[in-house]
Amino acid sequence: MSPQRRAVLYGYVLAAGLAAVAPVRAAEPPAAPLDPGSVSERIQQAEAARRQAAGQGAEWLETGNLIESARREADQGNWEQAAALAERALRQGELAVAQARRESDAWQARVVR
Amino acid sequence: MSEPVTFRLLLTVLAAMLAIPAQAGPEEDREAFRAFFFKRFPDVPPDAYADGIYALDENARRQWEEIEEFPPYEFAVEQGEALFSQAFANGGRYADCFENDGIAVRQNYPRFDPQRGEVVTLELALNHCRTANGEEPYAYDSSELIALSAWMAWTSRGRKIAVSVPNDPRALAAYEEGKRFYYSKRGQLNFACSDCHVTSAGSWVRADHLSASLGHPTHFPVYRSKLGKMISLHSRIYGCIRDVRARPFPEQSVEYRNLEYFLTYMSNGLPANGPGARK
């Protein structure tokens, strides 16, 4: 088989492969609607993490606003937006707590001696 | 005691000594702090650090010297003098609340108050004076309180900063808390005060240079051109904390008072030169 014919053949095989996968992806069932209870729980977890960080004087600037925005979206039934905002707030709260834990010792290495 | 036991004991003591980092006292901290900047910027005269960034940035210094010909803080000094000389409704005066009638005492603040068991800044002392005389305290960002602070700073110009950490474990704890705050990373940007004002002092940050922490508190309150008004040291710290995307503490919070205590102790021996003018 000449190189040109081989390239054309490979092209057909690749196209056929992609065509076979595409319908499968398209046929995936739509994501289940978010459970309002789980979103509220996520917001509470974010608020708990924020409070823990604040208790250590380590709260980040926008965590509280993210939680407020998540609550507003949840009140309006915008569950996806609320869940996304709560996830960001939770992540920030957890990172702030981890930062405070790390800095409880790490700061001493920066002292000018 | 047998020889192996003695040897083991010696090893244990040695290990313990190595495991516990030596805790330097305030004076050792101050000497090391000064030495760091003197080595980093050998051409800058020690007293020039009281000028903040203008000690490190020659071009900005020339602009600042022009501004100082008609100082924008003069109105605050005049307002502060007038307020300071007014008697309270009960006949008391600000002068009664301070040593030397409140003249040329700025350089001794913040100070540790053994009765209250906490660090008292000049602004806090002014409000204590008001409440002790039956007056409402001023808001910490009020033009009146900043003007009073500006006037008192003016009367201390040229005096050496002389903050003390008395032999009181509570005072030392407050100093250590301020030091811990200063060197701790915080906020979404994960910055410590020292990251900008020790490690990167003199470096560019966007279109400006970062100032050295040595001398930071000597010239407050300051007139900030970009805001068009006088601000306190705590207001400036608030801005820094917000800029690293951490939730700031309120002005005159215990966190900022302890930080001011540590920072000002580091600047002991520099001339008090407030109020100041900054971009």
Side-chain angles (χ1 to χ4, degrees):
Chain A
M1 191 184 289
S2 70
Q4 289 83 1
R5 288 177 69 91
R6 192 179 295 134
V8 170
L9 180 63
Y10 286 165
Y12 280 131
V13 170
L14 183 64
L18 288 172
V21 170
V24 171
R25 291 182 61 83
E28 278 176 9
L34 282 165
D35 168 26
S38 72
V39 175
S40 297
E41 191 182 333
R42 214 58 174 157
I43 292 173
Q44 284 173 16
Q45 287 172 346
E47 175 61 12
R50 186 200 67 77
R51 280 175 189 269
Q52 193 183 349
Q56 297 172 65
E59 185 182 348
W60 288 5
L61 184 62
E62 66 170 4
T63 315
N65 288 341
L66 285 171
I67 293 169
E68 278 307 303
S69 300
R71 284 189 178 129
R72 261 199 313 277
E73 295 293 345
D75 287 346
Q76 293 169 15
N78 300 328
W79 302 111
E80 282 192 20
Q81 289 92 328
L85 289 162
E87 282 298 330
R88 276 177 63 192
L90 176 60
R91 184 76 179 132
Q92 286 202 2
E94 289 172 345
L95 285 170
V97 170
Q99 182 185 51
R101 192 176 299 128
R102 192 173 59 245
E103 287 303 305
S104 65
D105 289 325
W107 69 271
Q108 297 193 42
R110 294 182 206 106
V111 174
V112 175
R113 294 186 168 89
Chain B
M1 199 179 287
S2 67
E3 257 187 46
V5 171
T6 310
F7 184 64
R8 276 207 301 273
L9 184 65
L10 271 173
L11 275 181
T12 308
V13 170
L14 188 62
M17 286 170 69
L18 289 173
I20 301 168
Q23 190 85 355
E27 198 49 27
E28 288 95 330
D29 285 344
R30 189 182 74 91
E31 282 169 12
F33 206 73
R34 287 166 66 88
F36 172 88
F37 289 108
F38 295 167
K39 186 176 175 192
R40 177 82 167 265
F41 305 107
D43 298 332
V44 174
D47 279 0
Y49 284 93
D51 298 333
I53 188 55
Y54 306 126
L56 308 183
D57 184 336
E58 182 54 35
N59 185 38
R61 184 181 184 87
R62 282 198 297 271
Q63 294 175 43
W64 169 65
E65 284 169 347
E66 297 270 333
I67 290 171
E68 282 284 331
E69 288 185 20
F70 297 97
Y73 48 76
E74 265 188 347
F75 297 107
V77 173
E78 286 170 14
Q79 183 193 3
E81 183 177 13
L83 287 168
F84 193 87
S85 58
Q86 277 174 13
F88 300 123
N90 69 354
R93 303 174 313 144
Y94 286 111
D96 302 333
C97 299
F98 295 92
E99 289 176 4
N100 198 36
D101 288 342
I103 302 302
V105 295
R106 177 71 184 92
Q107 71 280 3
N108 302 325
Y109 283 86
R111 53 185 286 274
F112 185 78
D113 183 330
Q115 272 76 48
R116 293 177 181 273
E118 63 177 1
V119 173
V120 173
T121 60
L122 183 65
E123 290 78 8
L124 196 59
L126 282 160
N127 263 348
H128 286 162
C129 183
R130 291 182 59 79
T131 52
N133 283 281
E135 303 284 334
E136 286 293 314
Y138 283 131
Y140 287 111
D141 59 352
S142 67
S143 61
E144 291 89 350
L145 191 61
I146 294 174
L148 284 162
S149 170
W151 158 246
M152 293 182 78
W154 178 260
T155 68
S156 277
R157 274 203 165 184
R159 311 276 172 151
K160 300 285 185 192
I161 300 288
V163 167
S164 70
V165 179
N167 187 19
D168 181 326
R170 297 170 303 170
L172 193 58
Y175 169 88
E176 286 293 333
E177 272 305 299
K179 178 175 160 185
R180 185 185 63 77
F181 190 105
Y182 182 79
Y183 286 110
S184 293
K185 288 182 183 286
R186 63 189 66 249
Q188 200 171 0
L189 301 189
N190 200 37
F191 271 34
C193 304
S194 60
D195 286 338
C196 286
H197 298 293
V198 174
T199 312
S200 304
S203 302
W204 286 100
V205 54
R206 300 206 295 187
D208 291 308
H209 285 105
L210 288 162
S211 56
S213 269
L214 183 60
H216 262 168
T218 62
H219 43 270
F220 277 85
V222 301
Y223 181 90
R224 285 209 81 184
S225 300
K226 79 169 190 177
L227 300 175
K229 65 173 187 177
M230 299 288 296
I231 65 159
S232 66
L233 175 62
H234 286 207
S235 173
R236 187 67 195 88
I237 293 170
Y238 185 103
C240 271
I241 301 298
R242 185 200 53 218
D243 288 349
V244 300
R245 303 188 68 72
R247 187 178 173 84
F249 297 92
E251 289 189 41
Q252 298 302 323
S253 60
V254 68
E255 287 84 1
Y256 289 174
R257 280 185 280 134
N258 290 342
L259 176 61
E260 183 181 342
Y261 196 36
F262 165 75
L263 265 182
T264 315
Y265 192 92
M266 291 300 98
S267 290
N268 265 358
L270 294 180
N273 57 348
R278 292 295 181 272
K279 279 203 273 188

